Amino acid sequence: MKRWFRWWGIAAFAVLVVLVAVGWLLLADRIVKNALQSAGTRVVGAQVDIRKADLSLFPAGLTLIGLQVTNPQQPMQNAVEAERIAMSLDAPALLQRKILIEELTLEGVRLNTPRKSSGAVKTASSRRDDAAGKKAAPSASESDLPGELLSGAFIVPDVGEILKNEKLQTLVLAESLRSEIEAEKRRWEQRLDELPDKEKLASYRSRIDRLKNARKGGLGSLLGAPAELVAVQNDLKRDIDRIEASLGEFEKQSKSFENQLNQLTKAPEADLQRLTSKYSLSPGGLSNIGGLFLKHRLRVWIERAIAWYQRLQPLVSRPAAAANGPRAVVPLRGTGVNIRFAETTPQPDLLIRRVRAGIDLKQMKLTGDVETITSDPPLVGRPLRFDFVGKDAAAAGSIRLNGLLDSTDPQRKLGKAHLQMQNVAIGPKSLSDRPEMTARLQSAVVDLDLRTALDEERIHLKLEAGLDAVRLSAESSRGDSGLARALSEALAGVRRINASASVDGTLLQQQIQLTTDLDRVLKDAVTDLARRQATELTQSLRKGIRAETNAPIKETGLQLDRFGRVGDELSGRLALGDNLLKGLL
Amino acid sequence: MIVQIARLLKILNSESEPGQISLAFCFSMVAGLTPALSAHNLLVLLAVLLLRVNLSAFLLGWLFFSASAYLLDPIFHRIGLAVLSAAALEGLWTYLYNIPMVRFTRFNNTVVMGSLVFAVAGFVPLYYLSNTLIFRYRDRLLGWVRNTRWMAVVKATRVYSAYERLAGWGGGA
């Protein structure tokens, strides 16, 4: 035996195994922490930080301290922060690489907290975009609300600035017509060279004269003359026909250019109408300006909610494990592919049966449960449900949020949520942070009923809200038109807002219908001012457009005149040919 | 310190029969070609320490085969996929898949299975090939290597002297 075995090898093996196990135990917390941070960052698309992770083996469990999830849209803000997350793990399931959690407790959860450093992460695609100098398409929060409408409302637009930024269609048309005329002129000049010119026509006169002299000659000349005469006549007729056909074609072309020139002279008026409607605030446009403030805020909320849903959705809707036959999943370069086989007692890769959470809002604490978070809803056969309740003792206000997300049928995903708020005091909220006008809802007491439904990719939302004890503030920082002042004063005087909204569409695009009595208040305040401003703007714009377009239009007309000379030349040649033909007959 | 290094070298270079060196290469192929953290490598490590195989050869071979594995991963993936998808073996794999400890070994991973099948299949051929090459080396090249200048430099070191002394105490195979 000694010839084949070295018995001290068992001891060496035991020592090595113990060393590795101790090393793993010492580093396990750090390994788990780093793995969770990088997986979370990949899912969220922004930095996920964990201050400390504590993994215990007997009993199996994990506690995370100081979780921070960056808001990808605002990297200096955490979307969620949790003081402590504790969970017990099913150890035998871990051997099968499955995470089964009976209960997970979330303590000290806070939303939208500031970060000390940016949590933005550079993805490969964003790095490529940066290198290419590309800019991401603005979201609703970036592009902000009323846009050009507000530009018109709060700043008296500078005509010079408008004309510098806008491309006048008149100038585009004039430039295009001029180059077209120039090209046609060159083509006709070439064609003139190919057509019988005055010299050629003069040569007919010589031939005719020679024939006339021949008549006076002898008998031989007299016999050959008629045939020669017919030949000259045919040649001349052929040339006249060519000139006539070209003249007809030219006149058609010339007429078309004249029509275009005529349209060009009307183009400045079309430009004026376009720019006036773009840069002035019509009384009609004011009819929904109040809605625009709230609509913008609503769109931002919807965008954020959908973005989070889409980020987290892949974690809780992985297709069911193969019941029949092996199936390959997620190939990764260099790490192979895990083949899944049918399980005798199928279990999902991830199942959290219950999450108990306490969320600290500014005015109240929201507590509740989320049930059945799983990567394999069809296998578990139960939808994800959530129910949160919060009470504000001081203002007797309450919030309730409940709903479900049902992916148990792989063919159809359904979801619904219901948010009720009663007498809830809300703090400062920005409605617009555009430089033209900043508007803030300083405080209000809200009653709100919001219901959403999701059916596959289709979303439907219905909102009824009433805001009491409203304090709004607004100011225009860039320019101080009477219109901006009037709007600011009107907003400051608002004490109650009623709003109802419905949203229909897909996860990618939604139609928002919103009505609010804020519209009437603002419209009353600014209608006359808006009309006056629109008239002034129209006059100034007309003057400016004329100054810009007069010269190009005139130049185009002159060019068309020069083009007309081709027609004069053709007419001259035709008259000469006709005279010769008459003399011959 | 020198004595300790020499002792380590002595342990590493004991069991220097051609068969012991060849067996070390074969084990190193299994450990090197399969992913390092695979559970079956614990058995390989136990075998290497328990059986009288040459540890230097094992370490050297492990380095060589680990480096080669990166290039061979696509081939291992194909082999593993073919083996794990074979209809005739589906019952076996499904049975093993439902045993927690076996699933923990990641046998259902194409690279793990492919590299293991490749290494196991090559185990015996590599043993005989190595044996043949070692015999030929000792017959034809060893004398020349001993006379090279490089070998003279190595022999002049204190570590080598200490190693020689320890080897003379009766260690080795």
Side-chain angles (χ1 to χ4, degrees), chain A residues 2-10 12-13 16-17 92 94-98 325-326 334-345, chain B residues 11 14-15 42 45-46 48-53 55 73 77 81 84-85 90 93-94 97-98 100-101 103-104 106-111:
Chain A
K2 202 178 171 189
R3 184 163 173 255
W4 294 101
F5 297 103
R6 49 187 167 207
W7 296 110
W8 59 260
I10 295 178
F13 176 74
L16 270 175
V17 169
L94 283 175
L95 285 178
Q96 296 184 60
R97 299 175 190 277
K98 289 177 185 292
T335 55
V337 174
N338 290 331
I339 308 289
R340 294 165 78 99
F341 297 90
E343 295 176 1
T344 44
T345 48
Chain B
I11 291 168
S14 58
E15 331 304 354
L42 269 181
L45 186 64
L46 178 63
V48 165
L49 290 170
L50 187 60
L51 297 173
R52 289 188 175 276
V53 299
L55 292 175
D73 263 359
H77 167 71
L81 192 62
L84 290 166
S85 310
E90 193 187 326
W93 302 141
T94 306
Y97 191 71
N98 282 285
M101 279 309 290
R103 195 189 300 185
F104 184 70
R106 291 180 68 218
F107 80 95
N108 61 320
N109 181 280
T110 52
V111 168

Side-chain angles (χ1 to χ4, degrees), chain B residues 10-117:
Chain B
K10 180 182 169 265
I11 291 168
L12 291 175
N13 289 332
S14 58
E15 331 304 354
S16 55
E17 289 294 316
Q20 291 167 323
I21 294 172
S22 297
L23 200 56
F25 280 140
C26 294
F27 281 124
S28 73
M29 179 174 66
V30 178
L33 292 186
T34 58
L37 294 176
S38 302
H40 63 258
N41 280 339
L42 269 181
L43 292 178
V44 173
L45 186 64
L46 178 63
V48 165
L49 290 170
L50 187 60
L51 297 173
R52 289 188 175 276
V53 299
N54 186 289
L55 292 175
S56 287
F58 175 77
L59 291 174
L60 201 67
W62 186 50
L63 283 176
F64 170 76
F65 286 114
S66 295
S68 314
Y70 285 100
L71 299 172
L72 296 170
D73 263 359
I75 296 168
F76 296 155
H77 167 71
R78 283 187 190 183
I79 296 171
L81 192 62
V83 171
L84 290 166
S85 310
L89 296 171
E90 193 187 326
L92 173 67
W93 302 141
T94 306
Y95 173 73
L96 294 175
Y97 191 71
N98 282 285
I99 302 171
M101 279 309 290
V102 180
R103 195 189 300 185
F104 184 70
T105 64
R106 291 180 68 218
F107 80 95
N108 61 320
N109 181 280
T110 52
V111 168
V112 173
M113 176 59 79
S115 55
L116 189 61
V117 166

Side-chain angles (χ1 to χ4, degrees), chain A residues 479-549:
Chain A
D480 190 18
S481 69
L483 200 56
R485 245 196 330 274
L487 274 175
S488 302
E489 282 168 15
L491 281 173
V494 170
R495 286 291 167 266
R496 179 170 174 83
I497 301 172
N498 288 311
S500 63
S502 68
V503 179
D504 277 293
T506 63
L507 290 175
L508 291 175
Q509 200 170 16
Q510 310 87 35
Q511 292 291 322
I512 300 178
Q513 300 289 329
L514 186 131
T515 53
T516 164
D517 50 12
L518 202 58
D519 297 337
R520 184 183 44 75
V521 176
L522 295 178
K523 190 182 173 190
D524 291 348
V526 297
T527 299
D528 282 345
L529 281 162
R531 195 172 290 132
R532 260 207 316 275
Q533 192 205 343
T535 312
E536 278 173 26
L537 179 69
T538 307
Q539 285 168 353
S540 314
L541 267 176
R542 178 170 283 126
K543 210 183 278 178
I545 290 172
R546 268 189 198 150
E548 293 247 336
T549 58

Side-chain angles (χ1 to χ4, degrees), chain B residues 90-160:
Chain B
E90 193 187 326
L92 173 67
W93 302 141
T94 306
Y95 173 73
L96 294 175
Y97 191 71
N98 282 285
I99 302 171
M101 279 309 290
V102 180
R103 195 189 300 185
F104 184 70
T105 64
R106 291 180 68 218
F107 80 95
N108 61 320
N109 181 280
T110 52
V111 168
V112 173
M113 176 59 79
S115 55
L116 189 61
V117 166
F118 183 92
V120 169
F123 197 95
V124 175
L126 181 68
Y127 178 81
Y128 285 110
L129 180 70
S130 302
N131 250 356
T132 309
L133 290 175
I134 291 165
F135 275 121
R136 287 193 181 173
Y137 166 80
R138 288 186 175 175
D139 274 357
R140 298 175 190 180
L141 284 174
L142 187 60
W144 174 80
V145 169
R146 277 184 177 151
N147 291 328
T148 57
R149 186 174 295 176
W150 182 81
M151 205 57 205
V153 172
V154 172
K155 280 180 180 171
T157 59
R158 291 170 68 188
V159 174
Y160 189 83

